[in-house]
Amino acid sequence: MNAPLRLGIAGLGTVGIGVVKTVRQHSALLSARTGRDVSITAVSARSRDKDRGVNLSAYAWEDDPVALATRDDVDVYVELMGGTDGPAKASVDAAIAAGKDVVTANKAMLAIHGQSLAEAAETAGVSLRYEAAVAGGIPVIKALTEGLAGNDITRIVGVMNGSCNYILTRMESAGLSYDEVFAEADGLGYLEADPQLDVGGIDAAHKLAILSSIAFGTRVDFDGIELEGIERVSINDIRHADDMGFKIKLLGVAQRTGRGLEQRMMPCLVPATSPMGQLQGGTNMVAIEGDAVEQIVLRGPGAGEGPTASAVMGDVCDIARGVRLPVFGQPAASLEQADRATAVLPAPYYLRMSLVDKPGALAKIATVLGDAGVSIDRMRQYEHDDASAPVLIVTHKTTRADLNTAIAAMKSTSVLLSDPVVLRIESV
Amino acid sequence: MNAPLRLGIAGLGTVGIGVVKTVRQHSALLSARTGRDVSITAVSARSRDKDRGVNLSAYAWEDDPVALATRDDVDVYVELMGGTDGPAKASVDAAIAAGKDVVTANKAMLAIHGQSLAEAAETAGVSLRYEAAVAGGIPVIKALTEGLAGNDITRIVGVMNGSCNYILTRMESAGLSYDEVFAEADGLGYLEADPQLDVGGIDAAHKLAILSSIAFGTRVDFDGIELEGIERVSINDIRHADDMGFKIKLLGVAQRTGRGLEQRMMPCLVPATSPMGQLQGGTNMVAIEGDAVEQIVLRGPGAGEGPTASAVMGDVCDIARGVRLPVFGQPAASLEQADRATAVLPAPYYLRMSLVDKPGALAKIATVLGDAGVSIDRMRQYEHDDASAPVLIVTHKTTRADLNTAIAAMKSTSVLLSDPVVLRIESV
């Protein structure tokens, strides 16, 4: 039996307590599987006195996570506080500098500082692992970095924010507005302290940026993501999309194009019958496409005490077993800065517009689309009882540039009553 | 850069050639990801002269896989011949004895000889990896052994033979009989040389035995699997099941019970709307349930050149990166011999029977079920134009023992025209 592996855990919220419970409950299992005892020596959190439902008196307490991260009796620093900078970043920096292995669930920190952290960790010869940062309990980092290492990865597509998927599927099932379901989700504690991180797509985009880096051998480029949240998705669009055989999902897509790396996180339509279209509630799903493997799809709980602790413990077990890998799957120094490509790849689009209820209005819209080279796959005009006629169009594949030309032309026709809703249709 | 990793590949069928292509096409990618060049030094197959569509002249040729496995210029022996014993087993034994790491796709060999091979590999201090042996391109061995190592695994459920799933879904979509689709699949080359391995459930059971061992820390116990193939599934049952909201799948289930480990591979009903129920064609799907992670579901191609080569290369990359793990996730010597439990766990069942078309026949059946303590959830009698009345029953949860008692009693009622079809209903 090798020497015990000693954890120092900073952050005793849902995930941190989940990790504490797992280490305690599964000590025999962990030592059988890793060949050494896994134990906790010290913990840190904002408040020492808070009742967390578990007795922490066996562990040393540090008020300062930096002090925790650098303790002599800590081998692995487990950072579960969150936040792009602040104590999380300072303590991870300190842990790496002190030669400690690091496990973190902090997607924001990695999406912003991933490159410098990876370089620091690799220079110091320590592990920096973050399975819990992406898609909760799904071992997607491992699948991508290790299991599919023999593939040229061609595309990543995923639903990676459970709260947004909860809101969108709940709007549909309960027939409620975005604002109503948002309030409900917030009340249930389903949203981050800053809900904009969820509904603005930022949290999901952090995750996408991390997956992109591994998939394409590029430096994490969060700012290169075309980003749009779900705040403007209306129950009308959900219903109309359903009517045409689609569901609306906050979908992340990363794909190499001839002009660079295209990364998008935005509400999209996906076929209602596809695995992604059928995804309900807070579940996450990531599809990985590679030249050899074709497509694999991973599905599981995107958050929660158990699933996130499971991901953290997967990393801890790897470290205990002596597994050492480059942070993003190849040495950080060899990661390239990807050219950013935006809206290069053509796709079909869904358009919803309100037209003045006069003869020839629809013909004008069809004409400007045709003039811009955008061909119409399906068009529907819905019944209405006022002067505004709701019209839906599904286009054939088109570039966003051609579509923008068409929309600009529409706006000058005087038949359009408001800006059209435009949603990309993604095949998954 | 570390020393190159040199592969010797035995077996140049679909998978072997896929591996050769991947190593050639992805040399830059493999060395970026693993920190060393990955190359092939020697190959072996039954016939040297066969045109395989790739030029193999750069590699040394060995007629004898044992000679290949023990060559000084081979670091990793890649066994892709298949077969429980014979050259596959002899060459893997020889490779381990010669201190070579081994990668294999050979589920039959591992299901039968897994324990002794694991002990030998661990004693010799070499890796024995087999991602490609289970569920094709899906990195399920990695997910279970590593990603979910912090979990007490509670259940594994999966569709792990693409050919069977192809047959069952094709029967339904084309309205063809088992024999018709079997002939079609055989003609298309979808079945093993010995088709009984596929349709008899044996191939899938080999895979289940391997997953069970990792999940539950037990010795591979293929003989402990309750096994039934799909040969007796009729188009009638597929239609009736569909009518009641179910699909029929060849489903593997491994689960710990109070009396031991229950392993089953048999046609089951699953809800039509479940991810498993919606699985079409040759795709595989494995759900893993653990105390922390709840449930993750992995889906992907179960066979084929690219997907299987992807799995082999995942193992090769791990070896190149210096990853060393116990073969079944914990040292082979510590794996326990599981007690075998058969049909311990209760479940709802689907029963189809033909009754004599006389008053009181259905009442008799209902009575014997009630007398055996089996309660009826749903019952349907279908229209008919002869003397035999087709009746379907879905029971509430019951033990197989109680159900068997009921069936024995039915047989003595004289209203039953033939043995009833009995299929377990599994929740997934």
Side-chain angles (χ1 to χ4, degrees):
Chain A
M1 182 78 75
N2 295 310
L5 188 79
R6 300 162 303 175
L7 313 181
I9 300 173
L12 295 170
T14 307
V15 181
I17 292 301
V19 172
V20 169
K21 286 182 188 168
T22 303
V23 171
R24 283 188 188 178
Q25 287 163 8
H26 290 337
S27 61
L29 189 142
L30 292 170
S31 69
R33 289 184 180 158
T34 68
R36 54 204 290 198
D37 288 331
V38 176
S39 64
I40 297 165
T41 45
V43 295
S44 174
R46 238 175 279 171
S47 155
R48 182 165 190 174
D49 300 328
K50 190 174 165 187
D51 180 9
R52 297 178 171 90
V54 288
N55 184 347
L56 300 168
S57 62
Y59 314 134
W61 180 272
E62 295 280 0
D63 286 320
D64 178 5
V66 172
L68 177 75
T70 53
R71 284 175 66 102
D72 286 343
D73 59 2
V74 164
D75 303 308
V76 182
Y77 175 57
V78 184
E79 187 280 299
L80 302 172
M81 297 178 290
T84 312
D85 294 281
K89 176 70 163 51
S91 59
V92 168
D93 283 341
I96 292 170
K100 312 295 188 186
D101 293 319
V102 175
V103 175
T104 177
N106 192 330
K107 56 223 79 164
M109 180 178 70
L110 287 164
I112 304 302
H113 302 297
Q115 181 64 27
S116 62
L117 286 170
E119 288 177 8
E122 289 169 19
T123 303
V126 300
S127 282
L128 171 58
R129 307 286 303 235
Y130 50 89
E131 185 64 79
V134 181
I138 306 174
V140 61
I141 300 294
K142 182 168 276 290
L144 185 58
T145 315
E146 305 169 42
L148 304 179
N151 285 263
D152 184 16
I153 301 295
T154 48
R155 190 170 75 138
I156 305 268
V157 189
V159 171
M160 299 179 234
N161 182 284
S163 306
C164 287
N165 202 54
Y166 169 82
I167 290 174
L168 293 172
T169 53
R170 172 85 180 141
M171 282 170 72
E172 177 165 23
S173 63
L176 295 172
S177 73
Y178 172 81
D179 289 335
E180 287 169 312
V181 177
F182 177 90
E184 193 181 271
D186 204 23
L188 289 165
Y190 286 6
L191 299 175
E192 302 259 356
D194 174 5
Q196 186 57 24
L197 286 173
D198 285 317
V199 298
I202 300 166
D203 169 83
H206 286 151
K207 297 168 184 168
L208 182 67
I210 294 169
L211 293 181
S212 280
S213 171
I214 304 167
F216 304 109
T218 50
R219 290 169 175 237
V220 177
D221 184 18
F222 172 73
D223 291 333
I225 298 177
E226 193 187 357
L227 179 60
E228 189 186 318
I230 62 165
E231 306 97 322
R232 292 175 52 215
V233 175
S234 73
I235 178 71
N236 274 337
D237 287 312
I238 290 177
R239 283 182 184 143
H240 289 315
D242 190 55
D243 214 26
M244 295 189 128
F246 297 102
K247 300 289 179 189
I248 300 182
K249 299 288 169 192
L250 177 65
L251 205 70
V253 180
Q255 190 166 2
R256 226 194 259 282
T257 76
R259 296 193 214 157
L261 179 60
E262 188 165 320
Q263 300 182 90
R264 281 175 267 122
M265 180 61 67
M266 53 178 64
C268 292
L269 271 61
V270 298
T273 54
S274 67
M276 218 66 79
Q278 292 168 340
L279 199 66
Q280 294 289 314
T283 310
N284 280 197
M285 182 178 280
V286 182
I288 306 175
E289 294 168 6
D291 63 340
V293 79
E294 298 166 9
Q295 184 192 62
I296 63 161
V297 180
L298 314 173
R299 175 198 148 105
E305 176 180 303
T308 315
S310 168
V312 169
M313 292 310 298
D315 284 340
V316 167
C317 287
D318 268 359
I319 290 172
R321 284 162 159 171
V323 174
R324 292 218 167 270
L325 298 171
V327 177
F328 292 107
Q330 65 182 67
S334 72
L335 296 167
E336 287 172 18
Q337 185 74 52
D339 290 330
R340 291 178 187 171
T342 304
V344 169
L345 299 162
Y349 280 86
Y350 159 101
L351 305 177
R352 178 169 60 87
M353 53 198 84
S354 290
L355 304 188
V356 293
D357 195 9
K358 287 186 182 164
L362 204 49
K364 278 197 182 162
I365 295 298
T367 302
V368 298
L369 282 166
D371 289 346
V374 178
S375 94
I376 295 172
D377 179 24
R378 282 185 284 165
M379 170 142 65
R380 283 192 195 176
Q381 180 158 349
Y382 282 82
E383 280 186 33
H384 57 286
D385 48 13
D386 55 18
S388 113
V391 170
L392 294 192
I393 292 175
V394 170
T395 73
H396 283 293
K397 265 194 181 184
T398 178
T399 62
R400 183 68 207 223
D402 285 348
L403 193 64
N404 286 347
T405 304
I407 290 168
M410 280 179 204
K411 288 183 183 171
S412 61
T413 57
S414 78
V415 304
L416 210 58
L417 290 172
S418 59
D419 282 358
V421 170
V422 181
L423 293 168
R424 192 180 165 97
I425 301 176
E426 202 69 45
S427 63
V428 283
Chain B
M1 183 79 76
N2 295 311
L5 188 78
R6 300 163 302 176
L7 313 181
I9 301 174
L12 295 170
T14 307
V15 181
I17 293 302
V19 172
V20 170
K21 288 181 186 169
T22 302
V23 171
R24 284 188 187 179
Q25 287 162 7
H26 290 337
S27 62
L29 189 143
L30 293 170
S31 69
R33 289 184 180 158
T34 67
R36 54 203 290 197
D37 288 331
V38 176
S39 64
I40 298 166
T41 45
V43 296
S44 174
R46 238 174 280 173
S47 156
R48 183 166 188 173
D49 300 327
K50 189 173 165 187
D51 180 9
R52 297 178 171 90
V54 287
N55 183 348
L56 301 168
S57 62
Y59 315 133
W61 180 272
E62 295 280 0
D63 286 321
D64 178 4
V66 171
L68 178 76
T70 53
R71 282 175 68 101
D72 285 343
D73 59 3
V74 163
D75 303 308
V76 182
Y77 175 57
V78 183
E79 188 279 300
L80 303 172
M81 298 179 290
T84 311
D85 293 281
K89 176 70 162 53
S91 60
V92 168
D93 283 342
I96 291 171
K100 313 292 188 187
D101 292 319
V102 176
V103 174
T104 178
N106 192 329
K107 57 222 78 169
M109 180 179 70
L110 287 164
I112 304 302
H113 301 297
Q115 180 65 26
S116 63
L117 286 171
E119 287 176 10
E122 289 169 19
T123 303
V126 301
S127 282
L128 171 58
R129 307 285 303 235
Y130 49 88
E131 185 64 79
V134 181
I138 306 174
V140 61
I141 300 294
K142 183 167 277 287
L144 185 58
T145 314
E146 305 169 43
L148 303 179
N151 284 263
D152 184 16
I153 302 296
T154 47
R155 189 170 75 138
I156 305 267
V157 189
V159 171
M160 298 178 236
N161 182 284
S163 306
C164 288
N165 202 53
Y166 169 82
I167 291 174
L168 294 172
T169 54
R170 172 87 180 138
M171 283 170 71
E172 176 165 23
S173 63
L176 296 171
S177 73
Y178 171 81
D179 289 335
E180 286 167 312
V181 178
F182 177 90
E184 193 181 270
D186 206 22
L188 289 165
Y190 287 5
L191 299 175
E192 302 258 356
D194 174 5
Q196 187 57 25
L197 286 173
D198 285 316
V199 298
I202 299 166
D203 169 82
H206 286 151
K207 297 168 185 169
L208 183 67
I210 293 169
L211 293 181
S212 280
S213 170
I214 304 167
F216 304 110
T218 49
R219 292 170 172 235
V220 177
D221 184 20
F222 172 73
D223 291 333
I225 298 177
E226 193 187 357
L227 178 61
E228 190 187 316
I230 62 165
E231 306 97 322
R232 291 175 54 216
V233 175
S234 74
I235 179 71
N236 274 337
D237 287 312
I238 290 177
R239 284 182 183 142
H240 290 316
D242 190 53
D243 215 25
M244 295 188 127
F246 297 102
K247 301 287 177 189
I248 300 182
K249 299 288 168 192
L250 177 65
L251 205 71
V253 180
Q255 190 166 4
R256 225 193 258 283
T257 76
R259 295 192 213 160
L261 178 61
E262 188 165 319
Q263 300 182 90
R264 282 176 264 122
M265 180 63 67
M266 52 177 63
C268 292
L269 271 61
V270 298
T273 55
S274 68
M276 218 66 80
Q278 292 167 341
L279 200 67
Q280 294 289 314
T283 310
N284 281 198
M285 183 177 279
V286 182
I288 307 174
E289 294 169 5
D291 63 341
V293 79
E294 299 165 8
Q295 183 192 62
I296 65 161
V297 180
L298 313 173
R299 175 198 149 105
E305 177 181 302
T308 315
S310 168
V312 169
M313 291 310 298
D315 284 341
V316 167
C317 288
D318 268 359
I319 290 171
R321 284 164 160 170
V323 173
R324 293 218 168 270
L325 298 170
V327 177
F328 293 106
Q330 66 182 66
S334 72
L335 296 167
E336 287 172 18
Q337 186 73 53
D339 290 331
R340 291 178 187 170
T342 304
V344 169
L345 298 162
Y349 280 86
Y350 159 101
L351 304 177
R352 178 168 61 87
M353 52 196 85
S354 290
L355 303 189
V356 294
D357 194 11
K358 286 187 183 163
L362 203 50
K364 277 196 182 163
I365 296 298
T367 302
V368 297
L369 282 166
D371 288 348
V374 178
S375 93
I376 295 172
D377 178 22
R378 283 184 283 165
M379 171 142 65
R380 284 193 195 177
Q381 180 157 346
Y382 283 82
E383 281 186 30
H384 56 286
D385 49 13
D386 57 15
S388 112
V391 170
L392 294 192
I393 292 175
V394 170
T395 74
H396 283 292
K397 266 195 178 182
T398 178
T399 63
R400 183 70 207 223
D402 285 348
L403 193 65
N404 287 346
T405 304
I407 290 167
M410 280 178 203
K411 288 182 182 173
S412 62
T413 58
S414 79
V415 302
L416 210 57
L417 290 172
S418 59
D419 280 358
V421 171
V422 182
L423 293 168
R424 191 179 165 98
I425 301 176
E426 202 69 44
S427 64
V428 283

